[in-house]
Amino acid sequence: MGVDCHHTESAQPGLEGAALASAVAAAESKCERTRERLTPPRRRVLERLLEADGPMKAYDLIAAYGQDGEPAKPPTVYRALEFLERLGFAHRIESLNAYVPCRMEGTSHRAAFLICECCGTAEEFEPDFAPQFAAAEAAGYAVRTVTLEARGLCPACKGGA
Amino acid sequence: MGVDCHHTESAQPGLEGAALASAVAAAESKCERTRERLTPPRRRVLERLLEADGPMKAYDLIAAYGQDGEPAKPPTVYRALEFLERLGFAHRIESLNAYVPCRMEGTSHRAAFLICECCGTAEEFEPDFAPQFAAAEAAGYAVRTVTLEARGLCPACKGGA
DNA sequence: AACCAATGCGTTATGAAATAACATAACCCG
DNA sequence: CGGGTTATGTTATTTCATAACGCATTGGTT
Ligand SMILES: [Zn+2]
Ligand SMILES: [Zn+2]
Ligand SMILES: [Zn+2]
Ligand SMILES: [Zn+2]
C-alpha cells in the first residue's frame, strides 16, 4: 500500500462458505423485519463485500459482479451500495473511495474506521462522538451524521515494519 | 443544496481586498520561514480558495484560475492543492470532494468540519480526538491522521428551515 | 561564470469514480 | 386484474484525478 511494507495482505480475511451464508441470512432476515427487499443485485454485491479481504472499490465490485466473470453496469452496483448503506449493511470509506461490509453486530451505529496505510485493512470501531457532538450542538448545529476515519499503521504493520 | 431550503448562501463570505491580501501575506511569510515557495500558481489557487464563499471543487478552481477567465489545466490546480494541504493552508473535505482554506490561526492542527447540508457551508473546528486516539492506540494502532466530518444543519438553516 | 541536481511548471492524454436519463420489469395492495 | 410504487437494465455522459514527459527556474558547488 502507501508505505513500502509488504505483508501477506489479509489481516481481515473475507467470509466463505457457512460464515458467508450466515451473514447473508442475517441480512435477509433483517430486511424481512423491516419490509425491505434484498434483491439479487443487492445480495450479490453484499456477498462480494463480505467475501473480500478488505475495502472494495466500486469498480472492483463491478468487475467481480457476475459468477461467470461478467461485469455489472455501474448503476447496478452503485444502486446496490446505496441500499446496503441505507440499511447499515455496508459503509463507504470516504478517504479511500471504497466500501466495506458492516462488521458491527449491533443495530444502528455511526461508523468509524482505523485504516492501515500499509496493509490496507480498515477496521470498524465504535467511536465515542459525545465530545464532538457536544461542541457542535453548543455552537447551534444539528448534527445528523459523522464520518471519522483515522489513518496510520495497524498493530501488525507497526511491529513488523 | 441537499435539502430544499433556500438561503442567501453565504454564511461564510470570502475574503476581499485588504483581508485577502493580509491572509496571503501571512501564508507567504510562513513559507519564507520554512523555505517553501509560494509560487504563482500556488498563490493563485490559495487566493481563489480564500475569496470563495464556501468549499470549492477542484474543477471550480480550474475554471476560476485565470484573471482573464482562462481556465487552468487540471494538474496545475491539483499540484497547488497538494502543496497547500501539505503546508496546512488548505484542507480537503473528503465527503464533498472539495477544498477550503484553513480558517484556524494556529499552526499544525488536525482539521475537522461541520458541514451544513442546506447551505453548503463547512465550518472548521478544533476537534477533541483524545478519546478516539486513546481507544485506537490501546488497540495497538499508530494513528497518523484523522478525518472528521460532521454533517447536519448549521444554526441559520436549523432555525429558518 | 559554468555546472549540476532538485524542484516546479506546462501540456497532452488517459484513467477512475459516479451519475443522468429513460425504458422496462417486478412487486404490492386493494 | 388494475394502478401506484419500487427496482432493474441500458446507454451515455459527467465529474474527479493522475500518468508521463520535456522544459524552466532555483539554489548551491566548483
Ligand atoms: Zn458498521
Ligand atoms: Zn496493516
Ligand atoms: Zn485548518
Ligand atoms: Zn446552513
Side-chain angles (χ1 to χ4, degrees), chain B residues 73-123:
Chain B
K73 305 289 172 60
T76 301
V77 165
Y78 280 104
R79 284 169 182 156
L81 287 170
E82 186 186 358
F83 170 86
L84 296 172
E85 279 199 81
R86 183 164 56 80
L87 276 281
F89 297 144
H91 302 293
R92 173 179 167 83
I93 301 182
E94 296 288 348
S95 60
L96 295 177
N97 288 358
Y99 301 82
V100 290
C102 178
R103 306 264 183 200
M104 310 293 284
E105 290 298 320
T107 54
S108 172
H109 62 272
R110 303 170 181 280
F113 293 92
L114 293 167
I115 302 163
C116 180
E117 291 176 321
C118 171
C119 66
T121 57
E123 184 182 346

Side-chain angles (χ1 to χ4, degrees), chain A residues 110 127-137, chain B residues 128 131-132:
Chain A
R110 302 170 182 280
D128 174 14
F129 284 142
Q132 273 77 35
F133 270 70
E137 281 166 6
Chain B
D128 174 16
Q132 272 77 36

Side-chain angles (χ1 to χ4, degrees), chain A residues 141, chain B residues 5 7 11 115-121 152-158:
Chain A
Y141 266 82
Chain B
C5 154
H7 296 285
I115 302 163
C116 180
E117 291 176 321
C118 171
C119 66
T121 57
L153 295 178
C154 75
C157 295
K158 188 177 66 167

Side-chain angles (χ1 to χ4, degrees), chain B residues 9-152:
Chain B
E9 167 74 61
S10 76
Q12 274 181 335
L15 304 183
E16 316 172 66
L20 174 59
S22 148
V24 174
E28 198 143 44
S29 75
K30 195 170 168 190
C31 281
E32 276 164 17
R33 263 177 273 131
T34 56
R35 288 193 224 287
E36 298 278 356
R37 298 164 54 199
L38 189 64
T39 59
R42 292 168 176 177
R43 178 191 198 107
R44 200 124 65 186
V45 171
L46 176 58
E47 286 170 354
R48 296 296 177 274
L49 284 174
L50 289 165
E51 288 165 357
D53 291 341
M56 291 277 278
K57 300 269 200 176
Y59 274 71
D60 293 341
L61 289 165
I62 287 168
Y65 183 79
Q67 290 94 341
D68 50 1
E70 275 304 293
K73 305 289 172 60
T76 301
V77 165
Y78 280 104
R79 284 169 182 156
L81 287 170
E82 186 186 358
F83 170 86
L84 296 172
E85 279 199 81
R86 183 164 56 80
L87 276 281
F89 297 144
H91 302 293
R92 173 179 167 83
I93 301 182
E94 296 288 348
S95 60
L96 295 177
N97 288 358
Y99 301 82
V100 290
C102 178
R103 306 264 183 200
M104 310 293 284
E105 290 298 320
T107 54
S108 172
H109 62 272
R110 303 170 181 280
F113 293 92
L114 293 167
I115 302 163
C116 180
E117 291 176 321
C118 171
C119 66
T121 57
E123 184 182 346
E124 183 172 356
F125 72 102
E126 191 74 58
D128 174 16
F129 283 141
Q132 272 77 36
F133 270 71
E137 281 167 5
Y141 266 82
V143 176
R144 201 179 53 77
T145 66
V146 178
T147 297
L148 175 56
E149 298 173 10
R151 310 175 65 90

